[in-house]
Amino acid sequence: MKTRTHGRSGATHRRPGLALVLALAGLLSGCGPAPAHTDSLPAGERPFWQAEFDGAAATRPSEGSWTTETGNRDAEGWGNNELQYYTDDAANSSLDGAGHLVISARPAPAGSELPCYTQEFCTWTSARLTTEGKVALIRGRVEIRAKMPTGTGLLPAIWMLGDSAAEWPGQGEIDICEVVGGEPRTVYGTAHGPTYFNENGIGSSTTLEADASQAFHTYAVDKQPRRITWSVDGEPYFTLTPSELPAPSDWVFEQDMHLLLNVAVGGDWPGPPDTSTPSPAPMTVDYVRFYGEGRA
């Protein structure tokens, strides 16, 4: 998604450029609907950590696994001149009572005067959740089954940051899924590191059969030693190895990496929202599952 200057959890300013570098041309493929919630576990495989979001409606996600980051101005517009103020209000992130986490971007309440970086007050609110310091993957696969919001000025993201003490982009970032503004069927997957970041991030994209907000899809990354593979609904569309980097020594992904979920509004990549932008604009997450080795 984006980064700042000292790590996505506390702050990282990652700025998705206006154009991503799509390496290796990627296999563009249509994606069918994801498997049902109850039979989506691969045969014989069990996650070492999972969030299924079972609980009463309006309940905030578990603080044992998730931290809610807040603000805008102090975070310098989250590195991308964004217009949303992240809150810890249930209106912006909570369970829906039907087994989902819902992260909603919505116009700021009248008179709220939420301090913004690019203008006096933020005109939208939203939420940004991270597992930093609580849950991380070192090697294996992370799967998120979700419906992504689409519309002018929106940038929902599912992504990972390295747990190292290095400043971004040296800490490493893996964008599992980004759906930008007016491209409702396009899923972007990108890696950022010391010499390949922002508009020079290395990645590819795949095309869904319909708008990403219309159905659940399973967005995944398989993170193995010296190899990362992106997929949607079990169909791989891009693999990155050190040989594709400006220098193989710039590979920074052999470390614990934590997960982030957020819906950004406005900023450098999607541009500003307009009267057609849906409100609320929900990212609905059915589950998050980590397979392989990590910390929980």
PDB file of all heavy atoms in Angstrom, residues 18 26 29 31 50 76 90 94-96 100 102-103 112-113 117 126 167 171 180 182 188 198 211 225 232 236 241 281:
ATOM      1  N   LEU A  18       2.230   6.451  -9.434  1.00  0.00           N
ATOM      2  CA  LEU A  18       1.113   6.559 -10.365  1.00  0.00           C
ATOM      3  C   LEU A  18       1.125   5.403 -11.343  1.00  0.00           C
ATOM      4  O   LEU A  18       0.128   5.113 -11.982  1.00  0.00           O
ATOM      5  CB  LEU A  18       1.186   7.894 -11.119  1.00  0.00           C
ATOM      6  CG  LEU A  18       1.051   9.120 -10.224  1.00  0.00           C
ATOM      7  CD1 LEU A  18       1.158  10.378 -11.062  1.00  0.00           C
ATOM      8  CD2 LEU A  18      -0.262   9.094  -9.477  1.00  0.00           C
ATOM      9  N   GLY A  26       3.541 -10.835 -16.266  1.00  0.00           N
ATOM     10  CA  GLY A  26       2.490 -11.501 -15.499  1.00  0.00           C
ATOM     11  C   GLY A  26       1.492 -12.276 -16.323  1.00  0.00           C
ATOM     12  O   GLY A  26       1.154 -11.880 -17.390  1.00  0.00           O
ATOM     13  N   SER A  29      -5.125 -13.483 -15.901  1.00  0.00           N
ATOM     14  CA  SER A  29      -6.121 -14.541 -15.973  1.00  0.00           C
ATOM     15  C   SER A  29      -7.360 -14.146 -15.216  1.00  0.00           C
ATOM     16  O   SER A  29      -7.295 -13.498 -14.196  1.00  0.00           O
ATOM     17  CB  SER A  29      -5.552 -15.838 -15.364  1.00  0.00           C
ATOM     18  OG  SER A  29      -5.180 -15.628 -14.038  1.00  0.00           O
ATOM     19  N   CYS A  31     -10.565 -14.752 -12.777  1.00  0.00           N
ATOM     20  CA  CYS A  31     -10.649 -15.510 -11.535  1.00  0.00           C
ATOM     21  C   CYS A  31     -12.090 -15.780 -11.198  1.00  0.00           C
ATOM     22  O   CYS A  31     -12.904 -14.869 -11.185  1.00  0.00           O
ATOM     23  CB  CYS A  31      -9.996 -14.740 -10.396  1.00  0.00           C
ATOM     24  SG  CYS A  31      -8.270 -14.346 -10.727  1.00  0.00           S
ATOM     25  N   GLN A  50      -5.064 -18.145  12.546  1.00  0.00           N
ATOM     26  CA  GLN A  50      -6.183 -17.744  11.697  1.00  0.00           C
ATOM     27  C   GLN A  50      -7.091 -16.784  12.447  1.00  0.00           C
ATOM     28  O   GLN A  50      -7.190 -16.818  13.672  1.00  0.00           O
ATOM     29  CB  GLN A  50      -6.980 -18.966  11.236  1.00  0.00           C
ATOM     30  CG  GLN A  50      -7.602 -19.774  12.352  1.00  0.00           C
ATOM     31  CD  GLN A  50      -8.004 -21.161  11.886  1.00  0.00           C
ATOM     32  OE1 GLN A  50      -7.285 -22.129  12.117  1.00  0.00           O
ATOM     33  NE2 GLN A  50      -9.139 -21.254  11.229  1.00  0.00           N
ATOM     34  N   GLU A  76       1.881  12.159   8.212  1.00  0.00           N
ATOM     35  CA  GLU A  76       2.184  12.812   6.942  1.00  0.00           C
ATOM     36  C   GLU A  76       1.330  12.260   5.805  1.00  0.00           C
ATOM     37  O   GLU A  76       1.818  11.931   4.730  1.00  0.00           O
ATOM     38  CB  GLU A  76       3.673  12.693   6.624  1.00  0.00           C
ATOM     39  CG  GLU A  76       4.565  13.361   7.667  1.00  0.00           C
ATOM     40  CD  GLU A  76       6.046  13.212   7.365  1.00  0.00           C
ATOM     41  OE1 GLU A  76       6.391  12.715   6.273  1.00  0.00           O
ATOM     42  OE2 GLU A  76       6.849  13.587   8.237  1.00  0.00           O
ATOM     43  N   ALA A  90     -15.851   1.726  15.988  1.00  0.00           N
ATOM     44  CA  ALA A  90     -16.516   0.554  15.419  1.00  0.00           C
ATOM     45  C   ALA A  90     -17.159   0.867  14.074  1.00  0.00           C
ATOM     46  O   ALA A  90     -17.316  -0.019  13.229  1.00  0.00           O
ATOM     47  CB  ALA A  90     -17.566   0.014  16.391  1.00  0.00           C
ATOM     48  N   SER A  94     -15.082  -3.208  12.499  1.00  0.00           N
ATOM     49  CA  SER A  94     -15.748  -4.055  13.495  1.00  0.00           C
ATOM     50  C   SER A  94     -16.251  -5.315  12.818  1.00  0.00           C
ATOM     51  O   SER A  94     -16.279  -5.423  11.589  1.00  0.00           O
ATOM     52  CB  SER A  94     -16.916  -3.312  14.156  1.00  0.00           C
ATOM     53  OG  SER A  94     -17.890  -2.955  13.197  1.00  0.00           O
ATOM     54  N   LEU A  95     -16.660  -6.271  13.637  1.00  0.00           N
ATOM     55  CA  LEU A  95     -17.286  -7.487  13.129  1.00  0.00           C
ATOM     56  C   LEU A  95     -18.730  -7.178  12.742  1.00  0.00           C
ATOM     57  O   LEU A  95     -19.362  -6.267  13.292  1.00  0.00           O
ATOM     58  CB  LEU A  95     -17.240  -8.590  14.178  1.00  0.00           C
ATOM     59  CG  LEU A  95     -15.878  -8.892  14.827  1.00  0.00           C
ATOM     60  CD1 LEU A  95     -15.992 -10.123  15.718  1.00  0.00           C
ATOM     61  CD2 LEU A  95     -14.788  -9.045  13.799  1.00  0.00           C
ATOM     62  N   ASP A  96     -19.249  -7.965  11.782  1.00  0.00           N
ATOM     63  CA  ASP A  96     -20.629  -7.715  11.345  1.00  0.00           C
ATOM     64  C   ASP A  96     -21.638  -8.694  11.934  1.00  0.00           C
ATOM     65  O   ASP A  96     -22.824  -8.619  11.646  1.00  0.00           O
ATOM     66  CB  ASP A  96     -20.734  -7.727   9.821  1.00  0.00           C
ATOM     67  CG  ASP A  96     -20.468  -9.096   9.200  1.00  0.00           C
ATOM     68  OD1 ASP A  96     -20.146 -10.061   9.934  1.00  0.00           O
ATOM     69  OD2 ASP A  96     -20.579  -9.208   7.957  1.00  0.00           O
ATOM     70  N   HIS A 100     -17.613 -11.887   9.619  1.00  0.00           N
ATOM     71  CA  HIS A 100     -16.750 -11.031   8.812  1.00  0.00           C
ATOM     72  C   HIS A 100     -16.217  -9.862   9.628  1.00  0.00           C
ATOM     73  O   HIS A 100     -16.885  -9.374  10.548  1.00  0.00           O
ATOM     74  CB  HIS A 100     -17.513 -10.458   7.607  1.00  0.00           C
ATOM     75  CG  HIS A 100     -18.206 -11.472   6.770  1.00  0.00           C
ATOM     76  ND1 HIS A 100     -19.571 -11.473   6.584  1.00  0.00           N
ATOM     77  CD2 HIS A 100     -17.717 -12.526   6.059  1.00  0.00           C
ATOM     78  CE1 HIS A 100     -19.906 -12.485   5.794  1.00  0.00           C
ATOM     79  NE2 HIS A 100     -18.798 -13.142   5.479  1.00  0.00           N
ATOM     80  N   VAL A 102     -15.367  -5.955   8.919  1.00  0.00           N
ATOM     81  CA  VAL A 102     -15.681  -4.932   7.924  1.00  0.00           C
ATOM     82  C   VAL A 102     -14.884  -3.669   8.243  1.00  0.00           C
ATOM     83  O   VAL A 102     -15.001  -3.108   9.334  1.00  0.00           O
ATOM     84  CB  VAL A 102     -17.193  -4.616   7.886  1.00  0.00           C
ATOM     85  CG1 VAL A 102     -17.481  -3.568   6.805  1.00  0.00           C
ATOM     86  CG2 VAL A 102     -17.996  -5.890   7.617  1.00  0.00           C
ATOM     87  N   ILE A 103     -14.054  -3.255   7.278  1.00  0.00           N
ATOM     88  CA  ILE A 103     -13.310  -2.002   7.368  1.00  0.00           C
ATOM     89  C   ILE A 103     -13.975  -1.033   6.408  1.00  0.00           C
ATOM     90  O   ILE A 103     -14.015  -1.272   5.199  1.00  0.00           O
ATOM     91  CB  ILE A 103     -11.831  -2.201   7.000  1.00  0.00           C
ATOM     92  CG1 ILE A 103     -11.159  -3.145   8.000  1.00  0.00           C
ATOM     93  CG2 ILE A 103     -11.095  -0.874   6.941  1.00  0.00           C
ATOM     94  CD1 ILE A 103      -9.730  -3.507   7.638  1.00  0.00           C
ATOM     95  N   SER A 112     -16.337  17.379  12.732  1.00  0.00           N
ATOM     96  CA  SER A 112     -15.363  16.542  13.450  1.00  0.00           C
ATOM     97  C   SER A 112     -13.959  17.149  13.477  1.00  0.00           C
ATOM     98  O   SER A 112     -13.178  16.869  14.375  1.00  0.00           O
ATOM     99  CB  SER A 112     -15.324  15.144  12.845  1.00  0.00           C
ATOM    100  OG  SER A 112     -15.098  15.208  11.453  1.00  0.00           O
ATOM    101  N   GLU A 113     -13.577  17.940  12.497  1.00  0.00           N
ATOM    102  CA  GLU A 113     -12.295  18.646  12.472  1.00  0.00           C
ATOM    103  C   GLU A 113     -11.113  17.724  12.766  1.00  0.00           C
ATOM    104  O   GLU A 113     -10.305  17.966  13.675  1.00  0.00           O
ATOM    105  CB  GLU A 113     -12.322  19.838  13.435  1.00  0.00           C
ATOM    106  CG  GLU A 113     -13.370  20.874  13.073  1.00  0.00           C
ATOM    107  CD  GLU A 113     -13.284  22.139  13.908  1.00  0.00           C
ATOM    108  OE1 GLU A 113     -12.496  22.155  14.886  1.00  0.00           O
ATOM    109  OE2 GLU A 113     -13.992  23.105  13.580  1.00  0.00           O
ATOM    110  N   TYR A 117      -3.047  16.094   6.706  1.00  0.00           N
ATOM    111  CA  TYR A 117      -1.710  16.523   6.271  1.00  0.00           C
ATOM    112  C   TYR A 117      -1.766  17.425   5.051  1.00  0.00           C
ATOM    113  O   TYR A 117      -1.018  18.394   4.952  1.00  0.00           O
ATOM    114  CB  TYR A 117      -0.855  15.279   5.973  1.00  0.00           C
ATOM    115  CG  TYR A 117       0.548  15.582   5.535  1.00  0.00           C
ATOM    116  CD1 TYR A 117       1.469  16.134   6.426  1.00  0.00           C
ATOM    117  CD2 TYR A 117       0.971  15.294   4.233  1.00  0.00           C
ATOM    118  CE1 TYR A 117       2.772  16.398   6.030  1.00  0.00           C
ATOM    119  CE2 TYR A 117       2.270  15.551   3.831  1.00  0.00           C
ATOM    120  CZ  TYR A 117       3.168  16.113   4.731  1.00  0.00           C
ATOM    121  OH  TYR A 117       4.455  16.381   4.344  1.00  0.00           O
ATOM    122  N   SER A 126     -11.615   6.188   8.093  1.00  0.00           N
ATOM    123  CA  SER A 126     -11.444   4.799   7.673  1.00  0.00           C
ATOM    124  C   SER A 126     -10.693   4.069   8.784  1.00  0.00           C
ATOM    125  O   SER A 126     -10.582   4.582   9.910  1.00  0.00           O
ATOM    126  CB  SER A 126     -10.687   4.726   6.337  1.00  0.00           C
ATOM    127  OG  SER A 126     -10.675   3.398   5.836  1.00  0.00           O
ATOM    128  N   GLU A 167      14.575   1.022   8.108  1.00  0.00           N
ATOM    129  CA  GLU A 167      13.575   1.962   7.639  1.00  0.00           C
ATOM    130  C   GLU A 167      13.079   1.529   6.258  1.00  0.00           C
ATOM    131  O   GLU A 167      13.791   0.895   5.496  1.00  0.00           O
ATOM    132  CB  GLU A 167      14.155   3.378   7.563  1.00  0.00           C
ATOM    133  CG  GLU A 167      14.431   4.005   8.915  1.00  0.00           C
ATOM    134  CD  GLU A 167      14.795   5.465   8.801  1.00  0.00           C
ATOM    135  OE1 GLU A 167      14.866   5.974   7.658  1.00  0.00           O
ATOM    136  OE2 GLU A 167      15.006   6.094   9.841  1.00  0.00           O
ATOM    137  N   GLN A 171      13.055  -2.241   4.921  1.00  0.00           N
ATOM    138  CA  GLN A 171      12.441  -3.293   5.713  1.00  0.00           C
ATOM    139  C   GLN A 171      11.687  -4.302   4.847  1.00  0.00           C
ATOM    140  O   GLN A 171      11.395  -5.410   5.292  1.00  0.00           O
ATOM    141  CB  GLN A 171      11.483  -2.699   6.740  1.00  0.00           C
ATOM    142  CG  GLN A 171      10.182  -2.188   6.147  1.00  0.00           C
ATOM    143  CD  GLN A 171       9.240  -1.588   7.156  1.00  0.00           C
ATOM    144  OE1 GLN A 171       8.830  -0.455   7.003  1.00  0.00           O
ATOM    145  NE2 GLN A 171       8.881  -2.334   8.180  1.00  0.00           N
ATOM    146  N   VAL A 180      -7.205  -0.273  -7.240  1.00  0.00           N
ATOM    147  CA  VAL A 180      -7.137   1.181  -7.249  1.00  0.00           C
ATOM    148  C   VAL A 180      -8.285   1.825  -8.017  1.00  0.00           C
ATOM    149  O   VAL A 180      -8.634   1.397  -9.116  1.00  0.00           O
ATOM    150  CB  VAL A 180      -5.785   1.659  -7.820  1.00  0.00           C
ATOM    151  CG1 VAL A 180      -5.598   1.178  -9.247  1.00  0.00           C
ATOM    152  CG2 VAL A 180      -5.653   3.171  -7.751  1.00  0.00           C
ATOM    153  N   GLY A 182     -10.427   3.688 -10.339  1.00  0.00           N
ATOM    154  CA  GLY A 182     -11.273   3.341 -11.467  1.00  0.00           C
ATOM    155  C   GLY A 182     -10.914   2.053 -12.168  1.00  0.00           C
ATOM    156  O   GLY A 182     -11.282   1.868 -13.332  1.00  0.00           O
ATOM    157  N   TYR A 188      -3.568  -5.702  -8.168  1.00  0.00           N
ATOM    158  CA  TYR A 188      -2.126  -5.489  -8.252  1.00  0.00           C
ATOM    159  C   TYR A 188      -1.419  -6.215  -7.111  1.00  0.00           C
ATOM    160  O   TYR A 188      -1.858  -6.157  -5.957  1.00  0.00           O
ATOM    161  CB  TYR A 188      -1.795  -4.004  -8.154  1.00  0.00           C
ATOM    162  CG  TYR A 188      -2.149  -3.194  -9.375  1.00  0.00           C
ATOM    163  CD1 TYR A 188      -3.358  -2.498  -9.442  1.00  0.00           C
ATOM    164  CD2 TYR A 188      -1.283  -3.126 -10.461  1.00  0.00           C
ATOM    165  CE1 TYR A 188      -3.689  -1.751 -10.562  1.00  0.00           C
ATOM    166  CE2 TYR A 188      -1.603  -2.379 -11.589  1.00  0.00           C
ATOM    167  CZ  TYR A 188      -2.804  -1.694 -11.633  1.00  0.00           C
ATOM    168  OH  TYR A 188      -3.133  -0.954 -12.744  1.00  0.00           O
ATOM    169  N   ASN A 198       8.113   2.414  -4.512  1.00  0.00           N
ATOM    170  CA  ASN A 198       7.196   3.367  -5.115  1.00  0.00           C
ATOM    171  C   ASN A 198       6.903   2.951  -6.560  1.00  0.00           C
ATOM    172  O   ASN A 198       6.604   1.793  -6.812  1.00  0.00           O
ATOM    173  CB  ASN A 198       7.738   4.787  -5.019  1.00  0.00           C
ATOM    174  CG  ASN A 198       7.780   5.288  -3.588  1.00  0.00           C
ATOM    175  OD1 ASN A 198       7.066   4.788  -2.727  1.00  0.00           O
ATOM    176  ND2 ASN A 198       8.605   6.280  -3.333  1.00  0.00           N
ATOM    177  N   ASP A 211     -16.237  -6.841 -11.081  1.00  0.00           N
ATOM    178  CA  ASP A 211     -15.826  -5.862 -10.078  1.00  0.00           C
ATOM    179  C   ASP A 211     -15.441  -6.560  -8.768  1.00  0.00           C
ATOM    180  O   ASP A 211     -16.156  -7.441  -8.282  1.00  0.00           O
ATOM    181  CB  ASP A 211     -17.020  -4.919  -9.858  1.00  0.00           C
ATOM    182  CG  ASP A 211     -16.704  -3.730  -8.996  1.00  0.00           C
ATOM    183  OD1 ASP A 211     -16.125  -3.917  -7.908  1.00  0.00           O
ATOM    184  OD2 ASP A 211     -17.078  -2.615  -9.387  1.00  0.00           O
ATOM    185  N   PRO A 225      11.722 -19.454   0.736  1.00  0.00           N
ATOM    186  CA  PRO A 225      13.086 -18.929   0.618  1.00  0.00           C
ATOM    187  C   PRO A 225      13.409 -18.529  -0.817  1.00  0.00           C
ATOM    188  O   PRO A 225      13.291 -19.328  -1.743  1.00  0.00           O
ATOM    189  CB  PRO A 225      13.947 -20.107   1.090  1.00  0.00           C
ATOM    190  CG  PRO A 225      13.064 -20.839   2.053  1.00  0.00           C
ATOM    191  CD  PRO A 225      11.685 -20.733   1.462  1.00  0.00           C
ATOM    192  N   VAL A 232      -4.609 -15.394  -6.974  1.00  0.00           N
ATOM    193  CA  VAL A 232      -5.993 -15.056  -6.657  1.00  0.00           C
ATOM    194  C   VAL A 232      -6.837 -16.299  -6.902  1.00  0.00           C
ATOM    195  O   VAL A 232      -6.743 -16.918  -7.968  1.00  0.00           O
ATOM    196  CB  VAL A 232      -6.513 -13.880  -7.507  1.00  0.00           C
ATOM    197  CG1 VAL A 232      -7.985 -13.614  -7.193  1.00  0.00           C
ATOM    198  CG2 VAL A 232      -5.691 -12.620  -7.269  1.00  0.00           C
ATOM    199  N   PRO A 236      -1.957 -18.803  -9.568  1.00  0.00           N
ATOM    200  CA  PRO A 236      -0.785 -17.923  -9.509  1.00  0.00           C
ATOM    201  C   PRO A 236      -0.724 -17.004 -10.732  1.00  0.00           C
ATOM    202  O   PRO A 236      -1.061 -17.419 -11.845  1.00  0.00           O
ATOM    203  CB  PRO A 236       0.399 -18.898  -9.503  1.00  0.00           C
ATOM    204  CG  PRO A 236      -0.178 -20.222  -9.098  1.00  0.00           C
ATOM    205  CD  PRO A 236      -1.577 -20.235  -9.630  1.00  0.00           C
ATOM    206  N   THR A 241      11.799 -13.705  -7.799  1.00  0.00           N
ATOM    207  CA  THR A 241      13.003 -14.291  -7.206  1.00  0.00           C
ATOM    208  C   THR A 241      14.098 -13.225  -7.205  1.00  0.00           C
ATOM    209  O   THR A 241      13.977 -12.190  -7.885  1.00  0.00           O
ATOM    210  CB  THR A 241      13.485 -15.525  -7.999  1.00  0.00           C
ATOM    211  OG1 THR A 241      13.887 -15.104  -9.311  1.00  0.00           O
ATOM    212  CG2 THR A 241      12.380 -16.580  -8.118  1.00  0.00           C
ATOM    213  N   ALA A 281     -17.701   2.685   2.048  1.00  0.00           N
ATOM    214  CA  ALA A 281     -16.972   1.836   1.106  1.00  0.00           C
ATOM    215  C   ALA A 281     -16.313   0.724   1.922  1.00  0.00           C
ATOM    216  O   ALA A 281     -15.245   0.924   2.507  1.00  0.00           O
ATOM    217  CB  ALA A 281     -15.929   2.647   0.353  1.00  0.00           C
TER     218      ALA A 281
END
